[in-house]
Amino acid sequence: MPEFKFADRIATLPPYLFAEIDRLKSEVAAQGVDIISLGIGDPDLPTPQFIIDALYEAAKRPENHQYPSYVGLLTFRSAVATWYKERFNVDLDPEKEVISLIGSKEGIAHFPLAFVNPGDLVLVASPNYPVYPVASNFAGGEVKLIPLLDENDFLPDLDAIDAATWDKAKIIFLNYPNNPTAATATSDFFEKIVEIARKHNVIIVQDAAYSEVYYDENKKPKSILETPGAKEVAIEFHSLSKTYNMTGWRCGMAVGNATLVAGLGKVKENVDSGMFQAVQEAGIAALKHGEPYVKEFRAIYKERRDVVVEALRKINISCRIPDASIFVWAKTPEGYTSAEFVSKLLKETGVVVTPGNGFGPAGEGYFRISLTVDTERLKEAVSRISQL
């Protein structure tokens, strides 16, 4: 039988973090252990019924059974622009500054192909969503990780990056509210990085997938596009996944600088055929009428967050109180690496959490808890953690 070898870009990939967690989880579950999975950030709450109804009605119409537009229905892009105006007071041209995505992961993965040439430097604020460096490497880019540290509130130290690095850099990837650390970005930070990016001609890619899961009306996460001058250098990726519990629907968008949006569109028109139009129509319904439901989801996540933070502190595991996202980022107990603690926890208690080092070297010494099971199961999970 012929032997087919993977291309180097595939053969050198580390195991995808969440796929590896699923494999280990299956091994332990096969032994009859009751698994509580706090690993992947996949909301357990159902998609609101009105969104499902909108999909059902749209799916019945024959015009939605054909190939969709590569960039998305203008009605969907207009709904995104209206939502951005109402939520962030950001003006967007739906024809030039908004593009639909088959989930934000797809768009983020394709974006470097539009702007990164072999050898170009890509900066990634890390710990990070693994797609940022992988997509950059696929495009031939050279990745430099910029550490996010507790003492800097998990914001990159922009002053620690020298001018030569900024001059060489093509892109910097940001993610606020942050996965995995749950940190949020300040207006001052966004203003500073926009100023630097404009000076050094660097593209800012800001992943805002968790912006609507926040816990204090006075601390709403910001869009980088609220920052003066940001549209000159920035593209922001967003998704309906976490906001409306639509992870499986694959419905997202990218907005911002028209050239950056157009470049992504050029890639997409050559590698996919756009988002199912019925899903886009359901997305329009979500963006127009979903806020009352999102408020209910925030209250549920807040209760879960408070349960976890209080329980962890009682057993002397250090963590910050997150202002946003569906995660709690906690320090591993003394004497354990991230991988050792997570492995021991899974094997001895059946609780699945994510090792911090899986998000990059700066994540060593931490683990991530996803607030994606109900409160009673979270209490049970932390109780098991306390038994180690």
Side-chain angles (χ1 to χ4, degrees), residues 12 14 60 99 107 142 166 310:
T12 57
K60 290 189 291 185
I99 188 170
E142 173 192 338
W166 283 119
E310 180 181 0

Side-chain angles (χ1 to χ4, degrees), residues 82-295:
T82 298
W83 183 80
Y84 254 83
K85 179 64 175 178
E86 292 174 351
R87 171 65 174 87
F88 300 111
N89 197 29
V90 168
D91 291 307
L92 293 169
D93 179 345
E95 296 195 38
K96 296 180 179 179
E97 297 176 333
V98 182
I99 188 170
S100 71
L101 304 173
I102 309 172
S104 59
K105 179 180 180 179
E106 169 265 305
I108 291 166
H110 284 141
F111 184 78
L113 295 174
F115 293 97
V116 174
N117 290 312
D120 282 348
L121 179 63
V122 178
L123 307 179
V124 176
S126 182
N128 57 274
Y129 186 40
V131 175
Y132 311 147
V134 168
S136 301
N137 285 329
F138 276 2
E142 173 192 338
V143 174
K144 178 180 178 63
L145 300 179
I146 307 301
L148 304 178
L149 304 177
D150 196 349
E151 55 262 37
N152 295 328
D153 296 323
F154 296 111
L155 294 169
D157 183 353
L158 301 178
D159 293 329
I161 305 172
D162 59 48
T165 298
W166 283 119
D167 283 337
K168 185 180 178 184
K170 192 68 168 287
I171 291 174
I172 183 166
F173 277 94
L174 304 175
N175 170 211
Y176 292 101
N178 185 259
N179 172 24
T181 70
T184 54
T186 63
S187 296
D188 288 346
F189 170 77
F190 277 151
E191 288 170 7
K192 186 170 185 176
I193 197 165
V194 165
E195 180 183 355
I196 291 171
R198 292 171 71 191
K199 179 180 178 181
H200 295 277
N201 200 33
V202 177
I203 297 167
I204 301 173
V205 176
Q206 151 66 357
D207 179 359
Y210 298 93
S211 75
E212 301 315 293
V213 186
Y214 57 83
Y215 304 115
D216 186 335
E217 285 290 327
N218 296 317
K219 296 181 180 179
K220 288 183 180 180
K222 296 183 176 297
S223 165
I224 195 169
L225 299 176
E226 295 179 66
T227 308
K231 268 199 200 177
E232 296 177 27
V233 291
I235 185 169
E236 187 162 77
F237 287 82
H238 220 304
S239 167
L240 277 61
S241 290
K242 307 307 190 294
T243 305
Y244 306 107
N245 303 327
M246 295 173 65
T247 52
W249 295 60
R250 312 317 304 138
C251 184
M253 58 275 200
V255 304
N257 178 277
T259 300
L260 302 181
V261 168
L264 176 57
K266 280 289 185 183
V267 174
K268 284 178 59 59
E269 70 186 27
N270 284 282
V271 298
D272 71 57
S273 296
M275 191 202 319
F276 181 31
Q277 287 185 175
V279 171
Q280 293 185 61
E281 293 201 26
I284 292 168
L287 290 165
K288 286 184 175 180
H289 308 297
E291 183 58 23
Y293 299 85
V294 179
K295 287 182 178 179

Side-chain angles (χ1 to χ4, degrees), residues 63 78 87 95 114 165-166 216 263 312 318 332 358 361 363 371 380 382:
E63 63 267 27
S78 295
R87 171 65 174 87
E95 296 195 38
T165 298
W166 283 119
D216 186 335
L312 289 177
S318 175
T332 55
L371 304 173
E380 169 65 19
V382 181

Side-chain angles (χ1 to χ4, degrees), residues 23 64 164 312 336 373:
R23 185 188 67 78
N64 287 334
L312 289 177
Y336 292 98
V373 300

